[in-house]
Amino acid sequence: MSGRAQLMWDEAVTGYDFGPGHPMDPVRLALTRKLVDAFGLDREVEVVAAKAAGESTLRLVHRQDYIGAVKAASADPAGADQSYGLGTVDDPAFAGMHEVSSLIAGQSVGAAEAVWRGEALHAVNFAGGLHHAMPGGASGFCIYNDASLAIARLLELGAERVAYVDVDVHHGDGVQAAFWEDPRVLTISLHEHPRTLFPQTGWPEETGADSAAGSAVNVALPAGTGDAGWLRAFHAVVPELIADFRPQVLVTQHGADTHFEDPLAHLAVSLDAQRAVQVACHDLAHEYADGRWVALGGGGYAVVDVVPRSWTHLVAIAAGRAVDPEAMVPEGWRQEVFARTRQLAPARMTDGRWPVAWSGWEAGYDPADRLDQAVLAARRAVFPLRGLLA
């Protein structure tokens, strides 16, 4: 197996553009790629442009009628069929939508193929992680569910156990739905509580169909959760489940919208805690999945201050060349940011909270604490179904 990491990238993914004023500004992708290059990480990874996902691949997850509706809306945005979630405020139709959505999906599928076949140990597609798209509809800025398609492709290639860990601030509802009845896929989502955030799903009681009981795990965090609570929740749930499941591949989604500066949600997580979870996911892949790791992007709407730094850390960790949190952001990139956005870029690769302190679950818990209640709810819902002590 090659130890070299792959970075999946085609400049055309920046065409995933819902228009002026939409939170999903593709500048976040362009600036991330520029920052990756500014740190020289493009020389530490193999940069690969995979082909777009074809219709047979899209059908591994999506219904034929929905694919047809996306194609029609792509050719005639004004005629988009809103019954499929297309042409809405969240998911405006635009010319070429099918093609660029298929291209992003293709990068995640290509990442999964490379890792499974041993062509790369790790593969990153930070343009991916579009986890809300459903088999039959668009949702939450997501047209095709590249994360689900990557997992489905792994199963098609013969994988018997795939674990998916989603740390986006929003519930990974589309991936959960795609594998609700499939015990070969363990989906774990840590997200802001559905009472206070879209898509209003991801309750701890959602644990998978009877045929796959305990295969869906949801840690619904109280609004306002910060670094210590977020990391405590992650480590109280994820490692034990991964150790028990022993996946052949770990697929992770790293939406940066948990950040305290993100305009669309209510968690208070720093860049430094996001980096800590990226490191933890990398380590879990090595400990339990022979290093096979597919890492995806996701949400993130602080498109200058947060997203590029967070995902550059992700690429660096995958490349085995982690960027020191105290590192200065290259001046050339800061100038590029100002030229493109008229915003001042951050100066360092940290929010000043590294190393992040948190307390482990094994030391005990407080049943009156809201964060601990969220962890307990998830553990009590799922762990007994998997033969583990809650």
Side-chain angles (χ1 to χ4, degrees):
M1 177 181 288
S2 168
R4 195 161 170 83
Q6 286 190 358
L7 172 61
M8 315 305 296
W9 178 259
D10 185 317
E11 195 71 33
V13 299
T14 60
Y16 192 80
D17 188 352
F18 291 113
H22 193 282
M24 187 76 105
D25 188 335
V27 75
R28 69 199 195 118
L29 303 179
L31 291 177
T32 300
R33 179 59 207 274
K34 291 286 188 182
L35 189 54
V36 165
D37 291 357
F39 275 105
L41 296 170
D42 55 322
R43 299 189 295 273
E44 305 292 341
V45 296
E46 181 185 4
V47 180
V48 176
K51 67 181 189 299
E55 197 157 313
S56 61
T57 297
L58 295 173
R59 285 202 307 268
L60 292 174
V61 168
H62 294 290
R63 295 198 320 246
Q64 181 65 57
D65 61 312
Y66 173 58
I67 298 168
V70 174
K71 286 183 171 181
S74 188
D76 177 20
D81 188 340
Q82 292 196 5
S83 70
Y84 289 101
L86 302 168
T88 61
V89 171
D90 273 4
D91 298 283
F94 59 92
M97 181 171 64
H98 165 75
E99 288 76 14
V100 70
S101 300
S102 300
L103 183 63
I104 291 173
Q107 305 315 302
S108 293
V109 171
E113 291 172 344
V115 167
W116 182 253
R117 291 170 176 161
E119 296 161 7
L121 192 59
H122 311 323
V124 180
N125 176 26
F126 58 73
L130 304 178
H131 59 169
H132 294 308
M134 292 291 175
S139 177
F141 315 161
C142 304
I143 306 301
Y144 292 138
N145 196 317
D146 63 284
S148 294
L149 289 163
I151 295 167
R153 180 64 175 139
L154 287 166
L155 298 177
E156 188 178 51
L157 290 171
E160 296 173 347
R161 294 180 312 283
V162 179
Y164 172 75
V165 177
D166 187 319
V167 296
D168 192 287
V169 78
H170 302 92
H171 177 226
D173 56 341
V175 185
Q176 176 179 287
F179 302 105
W180 184 251
E181 300 177 349
D182 196 334
R184 297 174 298 173
V185 180
L186 174 67
T187 65
I188 307 173
S189 179
L190 281 80
H191 48 265
E192 184 179 329
H193 201 286
R195 271 196 298 263
T196 54
L197 194 66
F198 174 91
Q200 281 77 53
T201 58
W203 298 79
E205 296 78 17
E206 298 169 28
T207 57
D210 289 345
S211 60
S215 68
V217 185
N218 289 290
V219 187
L221 302 168
T225 296
D227 289 357
W230 195 62
L231 289 171
R232 175 172 169 80
F234 179 93
H235 287 283
V237 174
V238 178
E240 194 170 345
L241 289 169
I242 297 296
D244 171 68
F245 189 65
R246 300 189 92 70
Q248 292 160 298
V249 185
L250 179 63
V251 180
T252 58
Q253 196 268 21
H254 297 271
D257 44 9
T258 51
H259 196 273
F260 55 77
E261 287 188 18
D262 199 90
L264 298 190
H266 318 98
L267 294 192
V269 172
S270 72
L271 182 76
D272 300 295
Q274 292 177 348
R275 183 186 186 279
V277 160
Q278 294 165 4
V279 170
C281 289
H282 168 268
D283 293 349
L284 287 170
H286 278 280
E287 192 164 356
Y288 300 112
D290 294 324
R292 297 189 192 94
W293 183 33
V294 176
L296 309 173
Y301 309 101
V303 299
V304 168
D305 285 351
V306 178
V307 174
R309 291 188 299 160
S310 186
W311 292 348
T312 296
H313 276 305
L314 179 65
V315 172
I317 291 161
R321 295 290 185 272
V323 172
D324 187 333
E326 296 295 333
M328 299 302 293
V329 173
E331 181 59 30
W333 184 79
R334 299 183 74 221
Q335 292 174 4
E336 172 96 11
V337 166
F338 189 76
R340 283 183 179 237
T341 68
R342 314 315 286 178
Q343 294 184 46
L344 295 176
R348 293 190 300 160
M349 291 295 287
T350 178
D351 284 333
R353 299 186 183 180
W354 187 267
V356 182
W358 54 278
S359 64
W361 192 252
E362 62 280 355
Y365 59 85
D366 178 359
D369 180 81
R370 291 174 65 223
L371 185 281
D372 284 3
Q373 289 171 0
V375 172
L376 276 171
R379 289 179 63 101
R380 287 171 173 167
V382 172
F383 278 44
L385 296 174
R386 304 204 66 87
L388 300 171
L389 293 174

